[in-house]
Amino acid sequence: MTNPNIDRNYLDELLISLSGDKLSEIDFDKLTDWLRELKSSLADSCELQAELKLMREDYLNRIAGMVKAITIVERSSGATEKVLAYLEDLENLSAAELIEQYRKTSHRFRIAFPTTFGLPPVSNNSIAGLKETSDYK
């Protein structure tokens, strides 16, 4: 199936043929070929869906771990409730939004734990206070 629009158009034609008295107009050779292509395409789609689910779960778990660690370090009042609400909302995000949240969270994590990444601790959590990692090699 090279073009999904062609497949949708063919499917619409097929449905019209099946619903009316046009049953004799169905090209069964074309239908058979199309169903073979559809079968292989559905298998690919199911495999991609499984991979996407696995990657989403990994991103969600990574973000959750970083957010929990940041919350423990920051120790602000009411942070636990905010974090729980934030983590629940993550599951409803699109893939692009989830990637964006991962980038933001990992940036906050690097600021909260600078020594983990070979940087000296920063007292005011200012990005300007961070040094290049090449300075420590």
Side-chain angles (χ1 to χ4, degrees), residues 120-133:
V122 178
S123 61
N124 62 359
N125 284 345
S126 165
I127 295 174
L130 295 177
K131 295 187 178 184
E132 294 292 323
T133 55

Side-chain angles (χ1 to χ4, degrees), residues 46-57:
C46 289
E47 186 178 320
L48 287 173
Q49 250 183 334
E51 288 181 17
L52 176 63
K53 183 179 178 184
L54 182 65
M55 292 180 79
R56 283 186 65 83
E57 288 174 1

Side-chain angles (χ1 to χ4, degrees), residues 1-4 7 34 37-42:
M1 294 193 332
T2 56
N3 187 344
D7 293 328
W34 182 75
E37 289 179 26
L38 183 61
K39 180 181 175 184
S40 119
S41 180
L42 284 174

Side-chain angles (χ1 to χ4, degrees), residues 10 14 18 26-36:
Y10 179 68
L14 187 61
L18 289 173
I26 296 176
D27 182 355
F28 286 99
D29 291 332
K30 183 178 178 182
L31 177 60
T32 303
D33 292 341
W34 182 75
L35 288 173
R36 280 191 189 110

Side-chain angles (χ1 to χ4, degrees), residues 4-136:
N5 290 330
I6 293 173
D7 293 328
R8 288 185 190 123
N9 292 339
Y10 179 68
L11 187 56
D12 290 338
E13 291 173 21
L14 187 61
L15 288 170
I16 290 170
S17 297
L18 289 173
S19 65
D21 293 332
K22 300 179 182 181
L23 195 56
S24 61
E25 295 178 11
I26 296 176
D27 182 355
F28 286 99
D29 291 332
K30 183 178 178 182
L31 177 60
T32 303
D33 292 341
W34 182 75
L35 288 173
R36 280 191 189 110
E37 289 179 26
L38 183 61
K39 180 181 175 184
S40 119
S41 180
L42 284 174
D44 293 343
S45 177
C46 289
E47 186 178 320
L48 287 173
Q49 250 183 334
E51 288 181 17
L52 176 63
K53 183 179 178 184
L54 182 65
M55 292 180 79
R56 283 186 65 83
E57 288 174 1
D58 184 54
Y59 264 72
L60 290 171
N61 289 333
R62 287 171 183 250
I63 292 171
M66 288 187 287
V67 167
K68 289 174 185 176
I70 292 168
T71 303
I72 290 170
V73 169
E74 290 177 351
R75 296 182 186 160
S76 62
S77 62
T80 306
E81 292 81 20
K82 290 178 186 176
V83 166
L84 291 175
Y86 171 75
L87 293 176
E88 287 176 7
D89 291 340
L90 281 178
E91 296 196 19
N92 300 324
L93 298 180
S94 70
E97 293 169 330
L98 190 60
I99 290 170
E100 182 63 27
Q101 287 302 310
Y102 177 79
R103 288 179 180 155
K104 288 178 181 177
T105 305
S106 63
H107 177 73
R108 287 181 54 218
F109 185 80
R110 284 190 297 274
I111 290 171
F113 299 96
T115 55
T116 304
F117 301 97
L119 301 173
V122 178
S123 61
N124 62 359
N125 284 345
S126 165
I127 295 174
L130 295 177
K131 295 187 178 184
E132 294 292 323
T133 55
S134 59
D135 294 343
Y136 299 98

